[in-house]
Amino acid sequence: MAVLETLIYERRAYKRAVIDGKSLDEFDDTKARDEFNALCAEIVAFGKTL
């Protein structure tokens, strides 16, 4: 089991994106966007090590 380092906090932007059917880039919440991008980058980097 792998444990990732990136933390994702509960933010309104995540809920609004799902409800509105939009991406995080369409909101002004840069913290949420940066967290999600960091998580995606970490997942891709981990996948390349397998």
Side-chain angles (χ1 to χ4, degrees):
M1 175 195 279
V3 177
L4 301 177
E5 298 293 323
T6 304
L7 296 175
I8 296 291
Y9 297 94
E10 186 173 340
R11 300 192 184 275
R12 287 188 196 141
Y14 298 132
K15 293 176 187 176
R16 286 180 26 214
V18 171
I19 291 169
D20 294 346
K22 296 181 179 180
S23 71
L24 288 174
D25 291 332
E26 297 177 82
F27 295 101
D28 292 331
D29 192 339
T30 56
K31 289 181 182 180
R33 185 180 62 231
D34 292 345
E35 286 174 359
F36 192 76
N37 287 339
L39 177 65
C40 290
E42 189 174 353
I43 291 170
V44 169
F46 178 75
K48 289 181 180 180
T49 65
L50 298 178

